[in-house]
Amino acid sequence: MLSDEELQMYMKVGKLLAEVRELVRPFVKVGAKLVEIAEMTEDLIRQKGAKPAFPCNVSVNEVAAHYSPPATDDTVIKEGDMVKVDIGAHLDGYIADTAFTVATGGGAEMVQVVERALEAAINAVKPGTDVGEIGKAVEETAVAAGLKPVRNLTGHSLGQWNLHAGITVPNVNEQTGQKLSIGDVVALEPFVTDGAGYVEDQKKVYIFRYLRDMPTRLRMSRELLRHVKREYNELPFAERWLAKRMSKLRLELTLRELAGVGALWPYYVLAERAKGKVAQVEHTVIVTEQGCEVITR
Ligand code: MN
Ligand code: MN
């Protein structure tokens, strides 16, 4: 259960994040630079008095998630690209999480399908629901349109300073035994694709999260670890956010060492196995007696 104060924090952060999303949406178009979309989004979150809960993800086409452009990325959106923008904000650790997809070419139908899947997911939420019922609603919507849900990407519950608070919400029909309760805060995020319906880890990593203090060989690694622990707690951060602290080469070396010793969790870029295009939308909801309240509407 949530206290009234906690509920107010969630409503407030959800509302401001929804405003940011709608401000950013018109800038996601052909010719726009990915890194500028990410920076604009994060700046707007800060201007509204919150902090990014994780780096803005701008994932294009078969890249499904976890791509937050590094400072040196000069990629621009091309005609026909399917662009997913996934954003999060927090107030004192209370997190809202939302995402949208822009199809700059012929992909509008896929975006409509994933939007319908999200509405079906929202409609399936009520206290006592097995989260598999939500996955069933997503899968049926995707399959009826000739598409596939991405089986190994899921929604998740949220807690204070915690982006994944223990409940996993599948995007396919499966019995999980996990049931929703009043006051649960849950990010619902269907992904649909015209590919195989699976994502795979890529080699690249641009997002990390503090895990634990560990001894390191390099002094700059120790210093960076102390910095990210203090600044971001256990929420994810971007390589880009650290780009001003040291050269790109040193930064990559340092992050690699810290991930290697288990001090940081690396979020590998996730791409669709068959290189299918992927569309995603996301809202954060709070489970109520009757169903749920969408805080990022
Ligand atoms: Mn998200
Ligand atoms: Mn999420």
Side-chain angles (χ1 to χ4, degrees):
M1 279 301 281
L2 294 172
S3 69
D4 282 352
E5 290 75 16
E6 287 176 310
L7 193 60
Q8 288 314 309
M9 290 293 261
Y10 277 116
M11 299 307 283
K12 192 173 165 187
V13 74
K15 182 169 182 289
L16 80 82
L17 188 65
E19 289 167 3
V20 169
R21 184 190 62 224
E22 297 314 315
L23 287 168
V24 169
R25 195 189 293 268
F27 290 92
V28 181
K29 59 185 181 188
V30 174
K33 219 169 151 180
L34 303 189
V35 70
E36 285 172 3
I37 293 169
E39 300 253 280
M40 176 199 308
T41 303
E42 293 161 2
D43 285 346
L44 283 165
I45 289 169
R46 293 187 191 100
Q47 280 166 30
K48 288 180 179 287
K51 286 184 178 165
F54 52 83
C56 176
N57 289 215
V58 189
S59 306
V60 179
N61 295 334
E62 75 274 13
V63 178
H66 297 174
Y67 186 76
S68 191
T72 51
D73 186 346
D74 50 20
T75 309
V76 297
I77 297 173
K78 300 184 305 296
E79 181 74 33
D81 279 350
M82 179 81 68
V83 187
K84 294 154 291 290
V85 180
D86 192 332
I87 65 182
H90 77 88
L91 288 169
D92 197 22
Y94 295 97
I95 300 166
D97 187 356
T98 190
F100 65 98
T101 298
V102 174
T104 62
E109 202 200 328
M110 192 186 289
V111 179
Q112 285 163 11
V113 171
V114 79
E115 284 170 350
R116 284 207 298 280
L118 178 56
E119 290 309 313
I122 290 168
N123 289 331
V125 172
K126 59 178 188 302
T129 298
D130 184 298
V131 292
E133 291 295 315
I134 300 169
K136 183 175 180 219
V138 170
E139 181 167 21
E140 284 176 354
T141 308
V143 169
L147 297 170
K148 288 176 181 150
V150 176
R151 306 189 77 86
N152 56 341
L153 286 173
T154 64
H156 49 99
S157 57
L158 293 162
Q160 193 183 15
W161 298 109
N162 191 352
L163 204 50
H164 202 316
I167 300 173
T168 296
V169 185
N171 286 318
V172 293
N173 182 13
E174 60 182 30
Q175 292 307 305
T176 68
Q178 286 194 306
K179 289 186 177 8
L180 297 176
S181 310
I182 293 175
D184 283 343
V185 184
V186 185
L188 303 172
E189 50 182 315
F191 290 78
V192 304
T193 181
D194 56 6
Y198 286 92
V199 290
E200 294 176 332
D201 283 357
Q202 306 299 292
K203 288 199 180 70
K204 291 289 192 179
V205 185
Y206 303 99
I207 302 172
F208 299 85
R209 176 168 71 82
Y210 171 82
L211 280 182
R212 61 181 77 85
D213 291 331
M214 289 294 281
T216 62
R217 191 174 54 79
L218 301 170
R219 191 156 81 108
M220 60 188 184
S221 298
R222 280 196 293 287
E223 287 168 0
L224 195 77
L225 188 63
R226 205 175 314 128
H227 171 77
V228 299
K229 183 183 180 182
R230 190 177 57 230
E231 285 295 311
Y232 311 119
N233 201 327
E234 290 181 27
L235 294 176
F237 60 89
E239 175 195 299
R240 175 169 40 84
W241 294 353
L242 306 168
K244 289 197 181 80
R245 300 182 67 84
M246 57 182 89
S247 72
K248 188 175 168 62
L249 197 67
R250 281 177 155 239
L251 183 56
E252 281 176 2
L253 197 66
T254 305
L255 290 170
R256 199 176 315 135
E257 184 184 24
L258 290 168
V261 299
L264 296 181
W265 175 265
Y267 290 86
Y268 291 95
V269 172
L270 298 171
E272 216 285 322
R273 180 182 292 174
K275 298 231 183 299
K277 285 190 175 177
V278 179
Q280 171 213 17
V281 286
E282 180 174 22
H283 273 309
T284 300
V285 308
I286 299 180
V287 182
T288 60
E289 217 168 307
Q290 301 81 15
C292 66
E293 172 99 25
V294 182
I295 68 165
T296 48
R297 201 53 106 180

